[in-house]
Amino acid sequence: MAVKVLRLLALLWVTFEFAAAGSYEGYKLYEIATETIAQRNALNALAQEDADKYDFLSLSRLHTQKARVLVAPAHDESFQAELRNQKIPFELKNTNFGRTIQTEVLQNRMLRQAKPYNGTGRLGTERYYSHDEINAYLDDLAARYPTRVFVRIVGKTYEGRILKTITITNGDGVTGKNVVFMDGAFHAREWISPATVVYAIGELVENFEAHAELLQDYDWVILPVMNADGYEYTQSASAFRLWRKTRQPVTVNGTTCYGTDPNRNFGFHWMGKGASSNPCSDIYAGPSAFSEPEAVVVRDIMHSLRDRGILYLTIHSYGYALFYPWGWGPELPDTWEDLHEVAMVGADAIRDYSGTEYEVGSSTALYGEAAGASDDYAFSEGFTLSYTMELPHGGDSGFDPPPSDIDRLVKETWTGIRAMGLKITTKYPSPKQTLS
Ligand SMILES: *[C@@H]1O[C@H](CO)[C@@H](O)[C@H](O)[C@H]1NC(C)=O
Ligand SMILES: *[C@@H]1O[C@H](CO)[C@@H](O)[C@H](O)[C@H]1NC(C)=O
Ligand SMILES: [Zn+2]
Protein backbone atom coordinates (compact mmCIF):
# COMPACT_ATOMS: atom_id res chain seq x y z
CA MET A 1 0.00 0.00 0.00
CA ALA A 2 2.61 2.48 1.13
CA VAL A 3 4.72 1.58 -1.87
CA LYS A 4 1.81 2.26 -4.21
CA VAL A 5 1.17 5.64 -2.65
CA LEU A 6 4.83 6.50 -2.98
CA ARG A 7 4.83 5.47 -6.63
CA LEU A 8 1.81 7.62 -7.27
CA LEU A 9 3.40 10.56 -5.50
CA ALA A 10 6.56 10.04 -7.49
CA LEU A 11 4.57 9.99 -10.72
CA LEU A 12 2.76 13.21 -9.81
CA TRP A 13 6.05 14.79 -8.85
CA VAL A 14 7.72 13.78 -12.09
CA THR A 15 4.78 15.20 -14.06
CA PHE A 16 4.98 18.45 -12.15
CA GLU A 17 8.73 18.51 -12.49
CA PHE A 18 8.69 18.15 -16.26
CA ALA A 19 6.48 21.17 -16.37
CA ALA A 20 8.76 23.11 -14.03
CA ALA A 21 12.19 21.92 -15.18
CA GLY A 22 12.37 24.80 -17.64
CA SER A 23 15.32 26.72 -16.47
CA TYR A 24 18.07 24.08 -16.85
CA GLU A 25 16.72 22.42 -19.98
CA GLY A 26 19.59 22.10 -22.43
CA TYR A 27 22.22 23.47 -20.05
CA LYS A 28 25.64 21.93 -20.46
CA LEU A 29 28.26 21.24 -17.83
CA TYR A 30 31.88 21.63 -18.86
CA GLU A 31 34.99 20.49 -17.06
CA ILE A 32 38.20 22.32 -17.74
CA ALA A 33 41.73 21.42 -16.74
CA THR A 34 44.10 24.21 -17.63
CA GLU A 35 47.68 23.33 -18.45
CA THR A 36 49.51 26.63 -18.85
CA ILE A 37 49.63 29.92 -17.01
CA ALA A 38 48.24 31.66 -20.08
CA GLN A 39 45.22 29.34 -20.09
CA ARG A 40 44.78 29.87 -16.38
CA ASN A 41 44.80 33.63 -16.73
CA ALA A 42 42.39 33.50 -19.65
CA LEU A 43 39.95 31.30 -17.75
CA ASN A 44 40.19 33.46 -14.63
CA ALA A 45 39.44 36.50 -16.76
CA LEU A 46 36.45 34.78 -18.35
CA ALA A 47 35.12 33.88 -14.91
CA GLN A 48 35.44 37.48 -13.76
CA GLU A 49 34.17 39.28 -16.83
CA ASP A 50 31.36 36.96 -17.83
CA ALA A 51 30.16 35.88 -14.40
CA ASP A 52 26.62 36.69 -15.46
CA LYS A 53 26.77 34.46 -18.53
CA TYR A 54 28.67 31.43 -17.30
CA ASP A 55 28.15 29.83 -13.92
CA PHE A 56 31.55 28.78 -12.62
CA LEU A 57 30.49 26.20 -10.04
CA SER A 58 34.08 25.98 -8.89
CA LEU A 59 37.27 27.66 -9.96
CA SER A 60 40.29 28.02 -7.78
CA ARG A 61 42.73 30.64 -8.89
CA LEU A 62 45.57 28.15 -8.80
CA HIS A 63 43.60 25.60 -10.82
CA THR A 64 44.69 22.71 -8.68
CA GLN A 65 41.24 21.24 -9.31
CA LYS A 66 39.41 21.08 -12.59
CA ALA A 67 36.98 23.95 -13.09
CA ARG A 68 33.31 23.22 -13.72
CA VAL A 69 31.16 25.62 -15.63
CA LEU A 70 27.44 25.53 -16.29
CA VAL A 71 26.43 27.16 -19.55
CA ALA A 72 22.96 28.06 -20.81
CA PRO A 73 22.06 27.07 -24.39
CA ALA A 74 22.04 30.73 -25.46
CA HIS A 75 25.69 31.16 -24.43
CA ASP A 76 26.99 27.77 -25.46
CA GLU A 77 28.40 28.81 -28.82
CA SER A 78 30.20 31.86 -27.48
CA PHE A 79 31.57 29.83 -24.57
CA GLN A 80 33.08 27.17 -26.81
CA ALA A 81 34.40 29.87 -29.12
CA GLU A 82 36.10 31.64 -26.20
CA LEU A 83 37.76 28.43 -25.06
CA ARG A 84 38.94 27.52 -28.57
CA ASN A 85 40.22 31.03 -29.08
CA GLN A 86 42.32 30.81 -25.94
CA LYS A 87 43.30 27.20 -26.73
CA ILE A 88 41.85 25.99 -23.46
CA PRO A 89 41.00 22.27 -23.61
CA PHE A 90 37.59 21.32 -22.24
CA GLU A 91 35.48 18.28 -21.67
CA LEU A 92 31.71 18.22 -21.93
CA LYS A 93 30.62 16.43 -18.75
CA ASN A 94 26.86 16.64 -19.03
CA THR A 95 24.71 17.58 -21.98
CA ASN A 96 21.41 17.42 -20.16
CA PHE A 97 21.98 19.12 -16.88
CA GLY A 98 18.26 19.78 -16.50
CA ARG A 99 17.51 16.09 -16.21
CA THR A 100 20.34 15.45 -13.74
CA ILE A 101 19.11 18.19 -11.48
CA GLN A 102 15.55 16.93 -11.80
CA THR A 103 16.57 13.44 -10.73
CA GLU A 104 18.44 14.86 -7.76
CA VAL A 105 15.54 16.94 -6.47
CA LEU A 106 13.11 14.07 -7.06
CA GLN A 107 15.29 11.58 -5.23
CA ASN A 108 15.61 13.86 -2.24
CA ARG A 109 11.88 14.47 -2.17
CA MET A 110 11.12 10.74 -2.28
CA LEU A 111 13.59 9.89 0.46
CA ARG A 112 12.03 12.59 2.62
CA GLN A 113 8.52 11.32 2.02
CA ALA A 114 9.53 7.74 2.64
CA LYS A 115 11.08 8.46 6.03
CA PRO A 116 10.15 11.81 7.55
CA TYR A 117 11.89 12.84 10.76
CA ASN A 118 9.62 11.92 13.67
CA GLY A 119 10.96 14.64 15.96
CA THR A 120 13.12 12.53 18.26
CA GLY A 121 16.50 10.93 17.81
CA ARG A 122 19.61 11.80 15.86
CA LEU A 123 19.22 12.91 12.25
CA GLY A 124 20.75 10.37 9.90
CA THR A 125 23.07 10.87 6.95
CA GLU A 126 20.98 9.06 4.36
CA ARG A 127 19.38 12.20 2.89
CA TYR A 128 19.23 15.99 3.02
CA TYR A 129 16.93 17.45 5.67
CA SER A 130 14.63 20.45 5.56
CA HIS A 131 15.12 23.58 7.63
CA ASP A 132 12.10 22.61 9.75
CA GLU A 133 13.49 19.14 10.40
CA ILE A 134 16.84 20.59 11.45
CA ASN A 135 15.15 23.05 13.81
CA ALA A 136 13.11 20.18 15.24
CA TYR A 137 16.33 18.26 15.86
CA LEU A 138 17.81 21.21 17.77
CA ASP A 139 14.71 21.33 19.97
CA ASP A 140 14.89 17.58 20.49
CA LEU A 141 18.51 17.89 21.65
CA ALA A 142 17.59 20.73 24.03
CA ALA A 143 14.92 18.48 25.53
CA ARG A 144 17.13 15.40 25.79
CA TYR A 145 20.30 17.17 27.00
CA PRO A 146 18.98 20.09 29.07
CA THR A 147 22.21 20.67 30.99
CA ARG A 148 24.54 20.62 28.01
CA VAL A 149 22.57 22.21 25.22
CA PHE A 150 20.82 25.58 24.84
CA VAL A 151 18.71 26.49 21.83
CA ARG A 152 17.93 30.11 21.10
CA ILE A 153 15.83 31.89 18.52
CA VAL A 154 18.23 34.41 17.01
CA GLY A 155 16.04 36.00 14.37
CA LYS A 156 13.93 35.52 11.29
CA THR A 157 14.65 35.28 7.60
CA TYR A 158 13.12 37.66 5.06
CA GLU A 159 10.28 35.19 4.48
CA GLY A 160 9.76 34.76 8.22
CA ARG A 161 11.49 31.46 8.90
CA ILE A 162 12.79 31.10 12.45
CA LEU A 163 16.57 30.95 12.78
CA LYS A 164 17.93 29.09 15.79
CA THR A 165 21.36 28.53 17.22
CA ILE A 166 22.41 25.66 19.40
CA THR A 167 25.01 26.31 22.08
CA ILE A 168 26.81 23.14 23.05
CA THR A 169 28.65 22.92 26.37
CA ASN A 170 29.98 20.12 28.55
CA GLY A 171 27.39 20.93 31.20
CA ASP A 172 29.83 22.00 33.91
CA GLY A 173 28.08 25.37 34.23
CA VAL A 174 31.28 27.37 33.78
CA THR A 175 30.63 30.60 31.90
CA GLY A 176 32.97 32.77 29.86
CA LYS A 177 34.74 29.93 28.06
CA ASN A 178 36.28 30.44 24.65
CA VAL A 179 33.92 29.91 21.77
CA VAL A 180 33.80 28.27 18.37
CA PHE A 181 31.11 29.72 16.11
CA MET A 182 30.13 27.65 13.10
CA ASP A 183 27.44 28.17 10.49
CA GLY A 184 26.07 26.43 7.41
CA ALA A 185 23.94 27.07 4.32
CA PHE A 186 24.97 30.63 3.53
CA HIS A 187 24.56 29.58 -0.08
CA ALA A 188 21.26 27.89 -0.70
CA ARG A 189 22.39 25.24 -3.17
CA GLU A 190 25.27 23.94 -1.06
CA TRP A 191 23.23 21.22 0.62
CA ILE A 192 26.22 19.32 1.94
CA SER A 193 26.99 22.32 4.16
CA PRO A 194 24.04 22.07 6.60
CA ALA A 195 24.35 18.27 6.40
CA THR A 196 27.92 18.59 7.67
CA VAL A 197 27.01 21.07 10.37
CA VAL A 198 24.15 18.86 11.60
CA TYR A 199 26.51 15.89 11.75
CA ALA A 200 28.98 17.95 13.81
CA ILE A 201 26.17 18.90 16.20
CA GLY A 202 25.22 15.23 16.55
CA GLU A 203 28.81 14.28 17.32
CA LEU A 204 29.37 17.05 19.88
CA VAL A 205 26.11 16.34 21.71
CA GLU A 206 25.16 12.71 21.21
CA ASN A 207 28.67 11.31 20.97
CA PHE A 208 29.91 13.62 23.70
CA GLU A 209 32.21 11.13 25.44
CA ALA A 210 34.31 10.76 22.30
CA HIS A 211 34.80 14.52 22.05
CA ALA A 212 34.82 15.67 25.68
CA GLU A 213 38.25 17.29 25.24
CA LEU A 214 36.82 19.70 22.67
CA LEU A 215 34.28 20.99 25.17
CA GLN A 216 36.48 21.11 28.26
CA ASP A 217 37.40 24.78 27.85
CA TYR A 218 35.30 25.72 24.85
CA ASP A 219 31.62 26.17 24.03
CA TRP A 220 30.38 25.76 20.48
CA VAL A 221 27.67 28.00 19.05
CA ILE A 222 26.19 26.73 15.80
CA LEU A 223 23.72 28.16 13.28
CA PRO A 224 23.03 25.25 10.94
CA VAL A 225 20.92 26.91 8.22
CA MET A 226 21.71 30.60 7.78
CA ASN A 227 19.99 31.20 4.44
CA ALA A 228 16.90 29.14 5.24
CA ASP A 229 14.72 30.86 2.60
CA GLY A 230 17.15 30.05 -0.16
CA TYR A 231 17.77 26.53 1.13
CA GLU A 232 14.05 25.71 1.08
CA TYR A 233 13.68 27.35 -2.32
CA THR A 234 16.31 25.04 -3.84
CA GLN A 235 14.34 22.04 -2.65
CA SER A 236 10.98 23.23 -3.92
CA ALA A 237 11.60 22.43 -7.61
CA SER A 238 14.47 21.44 -9.86
CA ALA A 239 14.25 24.77 -11.68
CA PHE A 240 15.42 26.39 -8.44
CA ARG A 241 17.98 23.75 -7.46
CA LEU A 242 20.99 25.97 -8.13
CA TRP A 243 19.69 29.07 -6.38
CA ARG A 244 22.50 30.61 -4.34
CA LYS A 245 21.26 33.85 -2.79
CA THR A 246 18.70 34.96 -0.22
CA ARG A 247 15.12 35.66 -1.36
CA GLN A 248 14.53 39.32 -0.65
CA PRO A 249 13.62 41.15 -3.88
CA VAL A 250 15.40 44.33 -4.89
CA THR A 251 14.26 46.77 -7.57
CA VAL A 252 16.88 48.88 -9.33
CA ASN A 253 16.06 51.14 -12.28
CA GLY A 254 12.65 49.49 -12.62
CA THR A 255 14.03 45.95 -12.77
CA THR A 256 13.28 43.54 -9.93
CA CYS A 257 15.60 40.68 -9.09
CA TYR A 258 15.52 38.33 -6.15
CA GLY A 259 18.12 37.81 -3.53
CA THR A 260 21.49 39.04 -2.36
CA ASP A 261 24.63 36.98 -1.99
CA PRO A 262 24.74 36.82 1.82
CA ASN A 263 28.46 36.23 1.60
CA ARG A 264 28.99 39.64 0.00
CA ASN A 265 26.59 41.49 2.31
CA PHE A 266 28.79 41.97 5.38
CA GLY A 267 29.85 45.46 6.40
CA PHE A 268 33.60 45.21 5.97
CA HIS A 269 34.94 46.47 2.63
CA TRP A 270 31.35 46.07 1.47
CA MET A 271 30.91 46.25 -2.35
CA GLY A 272 34.63 45.96 -2.89
CA LYS A 273 36.32 43.67 -5.40
CA GLY A 274 34.60 40.42 -6.31
CA ALA A 275 31.14 41.75 -5.46
CA SER A 276 28.49 43.00 -7.89
CA SER A 277 26.13 45.99 -7.76
CA ASN A 278 23.79 44.30 -10.24
CA PRO A 279 20.84 42.84 -8.29
CA CYS A 280 20.44 40.09 -10.87
CA SER A 281 24.01 38.86 -10.34
CA ASP A 282 24.77 35.78 -8.26
CA ILE A 283 27.36 37.80 -6.34
CA TYR A 284 25.15 40.84 -5.73
CA ALA A 285 26.29 42.52 -2.51
CA GLY A 286 22.85 43.97 -1.70
CA PRO A 287 21.46 47.51 -1.69
CA SER A 288 23.49 48.23 1.46
CA ALA A 289 25.71 46.36 3.88
CA PHE A 290 23.60 44.13 6.13
CA SER A 291 20.50 44.61 4.01
CA GLU A 292 19.73 40.92 4.57
CA PRO A 293 18.15 39.96 7.89
CA GLU A 294 20.06 36.67 7.82
CA ALA A 295 23.40 38.52 7.63
CA VAL A 296 22.29 40.74 10.52
CA VAL A 297 21.63 37.60 12.57
CA VAL A 298 25.16 36.32 11.95
CA ARG A 299 26.66 39.74 12.61
CA ASP A 300 24.84 40.02 15.94
CA ILE A 301 25.96 36.55 17.00
CA MET A 302 29.54 37.53 16.17
CA HIS A 303 29.22 40.73 18.19
CA SER A 304 27.77 38.87 21.16
CA LEU A 305 30.73 36.44 21.08
CA ARG A 306 33.42 38.99 20.29
CA ASP A 307 35.10 38.71 23.70
CA ARG A 308 35.22 34.91 23.59
CA GLY A 309 35.40 34.09 19.91
CA ILE A 310 38.50 32.12 18.97
CA LEU A 311 37.34 30.26 15.88
CA TYR A 312 34.77 31.16 13.24
CA LEU A 313 34.07 28.46 10.68
CA THR A 314 31.63 28.85 7.80
CA ILE A 315 30.90 25.76 5.74
CA HIS A 316 30.45 26.02 1.95
CA SER A 317 30.79 23.84 -1.13
CA TYR A 318 32.48 23.14 -3.32
CA GLY A 319 36.18 23.70 -3.73
CA TYR A 320 38.35 21.42 -1.56
CA ALA A 321 39.77 24.41 0.28
CA LEU A 322 40.22 25.95 3.70
CA PHE A 323 40.80 29.63 3.37
CA TYR A 324 41.37 32.53 5.71
CA PRO A 325 41.35 36.36 5.51
CA TRP A 326 41.67 38.49 3.73
CA GLY A 327 39.13 38.11 0.98
CA TRP A 328 38.78 41.82 0.24
CA GLY A 329 42.31 42.11 -1.16
CA PRO A 330 45.70 40.41 -1.42
CA GLU A 331 47.07 41.62 1.92
CA LEU A 332 47.62 39.05 4.64
CA PRO A 333 46.77 39.61 8.32
CA ASP A 334 49.73 39.91 10.71
CA THR A 335 48.75 36.60 12.25
CA TRP A 336 48.46 34.74 8.96
CA GLU A 337 50.94 32.10 10.13
CA ASP A 338 48.64 31.14 13.00
CA LEU A 339 45.70 31.04 10.60
CA HIS A 340 47.70 28.87 8.24
CA GLU A 341 48.96 26.54 10.96
CA VAL A 342 45.52 25.68 12.34
CA ALA A 343 44.01 25.25 8.87
CA MET A 344 46.83 22.86 7.97
CA VAL A 345 45.95 20.75 11.00
CA GLY A 346 42.45 20.39 9.56
CA ALA A 347 43.65 19.70 6.02
CA ASP A 348 46.23 17.14 7.22
CA ALA A 349 43.64 15.33 9.32
CA ILE A 350 41.34 15.01 6.32
CA ARG A 351 44.14 13.78 4.08
CA ASP A 352 45.21 11.19 6.64
CA TYR A 353 41.61 10.06 7.08
CA SER A 354 40.51 9.67 3.47
CA GLY A 355 43.18 11.00 1.14
CA THR A 356 41.12 14.03 0.15
CA GLU A 357 43.41 16.99 -0.47
CA TYR A 358 42.40 20.45 0.71
CA GLU A 359 44.14 23.62 -0.35
CA VAL A 360 45.06 26.08 2.40
CA GLY A 361 45.68 29.77 1.89
CA SER A 362 44.17 33.20 2.03
CA SER A 363 40.86 33.54 0.31
CA THR A 364 42.20 36.09 -2.17
CA ALA A 365 45.23 33.94 -2.95
CA LEU A 366 43.11 30.85 -3.62
CA TYR A 367 39.95 32.28 -5.16
CA GLY A 368 40.50 35.94 -5.91
CA GLU A 369 38.87 38.86 -4.14
CA ALA A 370 35.41 38.44 -2.66
CA ALA A 371 34.77 41.47 -0.47
CA GLY A 372 31.98 41.56 2.10
CA ALA A 373 32.25 37.91 3.16
CA SER A 374 31.47 36.68 6.66
CA ASP A 375 34.95 35.29 7.35
CA ASP A 376 36.58 38.69 6.83
CA TYR A 377 33.93 40.29 9.02
CA ALA A 378 34.41 37.80 11.88
CA PHE A 379 38.14 38.33 11.75
CA SER A 380 37.78 42.12 11.68
CA GLU A 381 35.48 41.87 14.70
CA GLY A 382 38.05 40.06 16.80
CA PHE A 383 37.76 36.33 16.16
CA THR A 384 41.30 34.99 16.49
CA LEU A 385 40.83 32.53 13.64
CA SER A 386 38.35 32.67 10.78
CA TYR A 387 37.87 30.20 7.93
CA THR A 388 35.70 29.34 5.01
CA MET A 389 35.71 25.64 4.32
CA GLU A 390 34.82 24.59 0.78
CA LEU A 391 33.84 20.94 0.76
CA PRO A 392 34.17 18.40 -2.06
CA HIS A 393 31.49 17.94 -4.68
CA GLY A 394 29.86 14.68 -5.56
CA GLY A 395 29.18 12.51 -8.54
CA ASP A 396 30.25 13.30 -12.06
CA SER A 397 27.29 15.31 -13.09
CA GLY A 398 25.96 17.10 -10.07
CA PHE A 399 26.86 19.96 -7.84
CA ASP A 400 26.23 18.40 -4.46
CA PRO A 401 27.00 14.81 -3.57
CA PRO A 402 24.18 12.32 -4.05
CA PRO A 403 22.58 11.13 -0.80
CA SER A 404 24.66 7.95 -0.89
CA ASP A 405 27.81 10.08 -0.47
CA ILE A 406 26.60 12.24 2.42
CA ASP A 407 27.75 9.88 5.14
CA ARG A 408 31.27 9.56 3.80
CA LEU A 409 31.68 13.31 3.26
CA VAL A 410 30.29 14.57 6.55
CA LYS A 411 32.50 12.14 8.45
CA GLU A 412 35.55 13.16 6.46
CA THR A 413 34.82 16.84 7.05
CA TRP A 414 34.11 16.35 10.73
CA THR A 415 37.56 14.77 11.05
CA GLY A 416 39.07 18.06 9.88
CA ILE A 417 36.82 20.25 12.01
CA ARG A 418 37.51 18.11 15.05
CA ALA A 419 41.27 18.31 14.51
CA MET A 420 41.13 22.11 14.35
CA GLY A 421 38.89 22.19 17.43
CA LEU A 422 41.40 20.06 19.29
CA LYS A 423 44.34 22.14 18.13
CA ILE A 424 42.88 25.36 19.51
CA THR A 425 42.32 23.81 22.93
CA THR A 426 46.11 23.73 23.31
CA LYS A 427 47.05 26.71 21.11
CA TYR A 428 44.51 29.02 22.74
CA PRO A 429 43.80 27.32 26.07
CA SER A 430 42.80 30.02 28.51
CA PRO A 431 39.83 32.34 28.34
CA LYS A 432 40.44 34.98 25.74
CA GLN A 433 41.97 38.17 27.08
CA THR A 434 40.29 41.00 25.25
CA LEU A 435 41.84 44.39 24.74
CA SER A 436 39.72 47.25 25.92
C1 LIG B 1 11.56 8.04 16.11
O1 LIG B 1 12.54 7.41 15.31
C2 LIG B 1 13.61 6.84 16.04
C3 LIG B 1 14.58 6.23 15.06
O2 LIG B 1 14.92 7.12 14.07
C4 LIG B 1 13.08 5.78 17.00
O3 LIG B 1 14.17 5.30 17.77
C5 LIG B 1 12.04 6.40 17.90
O4 LIG B 1 11.47 5.39 18.70
C6 LIG B 1 10.94 7.08 17.08
N1 LIG B 1 10.04 7.76 18.01
C7 LIG B 1 8.73 7.79 17.85
C8 LIG B 1 7.96 8.57 18.86
O5 LIG B 1 8.18 7.23 16.93
C1 LIG C 1 20.77 52.50 -12.75
O1 LIG C 1 20.74 53.69 -13.53
C2 LIG C 1 21.82 54.58 -13.25
C3 LIG C 1 21.59 55.84 -14.06
O2 LIG C 1 21.34 55.54 -15.40
C4 LIG C 1 23.14 53.91 -13.58
O3 LIG C 1 24.21 54.75 -13.29
C5 LIG C 1 23.26 52.62 -12.75
O4 LIG C 1 24.44 51.93 -13.12
C6 LIG C 1 22.06 51.73 -12.98
N1 LIG C 1 22.17 50.59 -12.07
C7 LIG C 1 22.09 49.32 -12.45
C8 LIG C 1 22.31 48.30 -11.43
O5 LIG C 1 21.85 49.01 -13.60
ZN1 LIG D 1 29.20 29.03 -0.85
Side-chain angles (χ1 to χ4, degrees):
M1 180 62 200
V3 171
K4 270 189 190 157
V5 170
L6 271 180
R7 280 206 194 116
L8 186 63
L9 282 173
L11 194 65
L12 286 172
W13 175 246
V14 168
T15 312
F16 167 69
E17 269 297 303
F18 272 106
S23 76
Y24 295 109
E25 200 54 49
Y27 274 57
K28 290 180 184 166
L29 183 71
Y30 290 90
E31 195 167 84
I32 302 165
T34 54
E35 284 151 6
T36 67
I37 292 173
Q39 290 172 352
R40 241 162 262 169
N41 290 342
L43 197 63
N44 286 347
L46 200 62
Q48 292 271 317
E49 287 155 22
D50 290 314
D52 299 343
K53 283 208 290 199
Y54 315 128
D55 192 349
F56 280 78
L57 298 181
S58 140
L59 175 65
S60 95
R61 211 177 204 193
L62 310 175
H63 297 241
T64 41
Q65 325 275 348
K66 290 175 183 172
R68 282 188 172 193
V69 192
L70 187 60
V71 180
H75 301 307
D76 196 49
E77 242 183 75
S78 61
F79 185 69
Q80 289 210 14
E82 285 276 6
L83 295 182
R84 290 210 175 89
N85 237 343
Q86 312 279 357
K87 302 201 169 28
I88 301 173
F90 58 87
E91 191 184 336
L92 188 53
K93 286 301 274 194
N94 192 332
T95 51
N96 198 341
F97 198 72
R99 181 168 308 162
T100 303
I101 283 292
Q102 220 169 325
T103 308
E104 218 175 274
V105 170
L106 171 63
Q107 186 186 25
N108 195 54
R109 175 68 61 98
M110 288 186 63
L111 287 170
R112 191 171 290 175
Q113 281 166 345
K115 200 172 165 244
Y117 180 50
N118 69 9
T120 61
R122 186 165 177 178
L123 289 184
T125 52
E126 74 287 353
R127 66 175 171 93
Y128 293 106
Y129 289 89
S130 71
H131 175 242
D132 281 346
E133 287 175 315
I134 293 171
N135 269 354
Y137 178 49
L138 299 190
D139 292 337
D140 172 50
L141 288 175
R144 286 193 287 129
Y145 301 93
T147 60
R148 287 205 263 124
V149 159
F150 307 94
V151 171
R152 281 221 315 269
I153 293 175
V154 286
K156 276 186 186 175
T157 64
Y158 171 72
E159 291 178 347
R161 292 188 173 82
I162 303 285
L163 297 179
K164 295 180 180 183
T165 54
I166 182 167
T167 299
I168 304 169
T169 77
N170 69 353
D172 65 6
V174 175
T175 58
K177 288 182 180 179
N178 288 338
V179 170
V180 174
F181 174 35
M182 177 161 66
D183 59 42
F186 257 65
H187 290 140
R189 64 194 186 184
E190 298 165 7
W191 292 359
I192 193 65
S193 159
T196 297
V197 172
V198 164
Y199 183 76
I201 292 170
E203 281 300 294
L204 287 167
V205 181
E206 308 212 47
N207 198 12
F208 168 74
E209 286 73 18
H211 311 299
E213 266 174 286
L214 297 181
L215 293 161
Q216 182 61 42
D217 298 311
Y218 273 78
D219 295 336
W220 289 52
V221 177
I222 302 177
L223 172 66
V225 189
M226 184 267 197
N227 178 10
D229 292 350
Y231 181 64
E232 288 302 306
Y233 188 64
T234 58
Q235 299 179 33
S236 64
S238 63
F240 312 137
R241 173 64 185 87
L242 290 186
W243 188 256
R244 166 181 163 98
K245 301 190 286 179
T246 59
R247 291 296 299 158
Q248 179 166 220
V250 179
T251 303
V252 177
N253 293 351
T255 304
T256 300
C257 266
Y258 280 79
T260 288
D261 183 345
N263 212 28
R264 300 290 185 279
N265 193 233
F266 282 69
F268 182 73
H269 290 263
W270 178 77
M271 200 60 91
K273 282 192 173 173
S276 173
S277 58
N278 171 5
C280 306
S281 161
D282 246 1
I283 50 168
Y284 177 49
S288 58
F290 296 118
S291 59
E292 304 311 288
E294 301 84 0
V296 170
V297 162
V298 172
R299 176 195 70 189
D300 291 349
I301 295 168
M302 287 173 179
H303 288 181
S304 74
L305 300 175
R306 186 159 30 196
D307 298 344
R308 305 195 282 137
I310 300 291
L311 170 61
Y312 171 64
L313 190 56
T314 182
I315 308 294
H316 288 247
S317 74
Y318 68 84
Y320 305 84
L322 253 166
F323 49 73
Y324 48 80
W326 299 109
W328 63 267
E331 278 175 38
L332 286 173
D334 293 342
T335 56
W336 74 269
E337 282 166 304
D338 297 316
L339 288 156
H340 197 89
E341 182 194 8
V342 175
M344 283 305 297
V345 169
D348 287 347
I350 290 174
R351 198 200 44 234
D352 292 349
Y353 177 78
S354 60
T356 300
E357 296 277 355
Y358 271 66
E359 285 181 283
V360 172
S362 91
S363 129
T364 298
L366 293 184
Y367 276 77
E369 284 93 348
S374 67
D375 53 356
D376 271 12
Y377 189 81
F379 193 69
S380 76
E381 287 295 315
F383 275 76
T384 310
L385 305 168
S386 180
Y387 302 105
T388 298
M389 195 166 184
E390 292 276 0
L391 269 48
H393 67 72
D396 261 350
S397 46
F399 179 73
D400 264 315
S404 55
D405 281 350
I406 297 173
D407 189 69
R408 176 177 64 79
L409 282 173
V410 297
K411 285 177 178 162
E412 168 185 299
T413 310
W414 167 246
T415 305
I417 296 171
R418 186 185 191 286
M420 289 191 285
L422 206 53
K423 174 70 184 171
I424 59 176
T425 64
T426 53
K427 191 172 166 71
Y428 305 101
S430 13
K432 190 173 176 178
Q433 305 294 312
T434 46
L435 307 166
S436 56

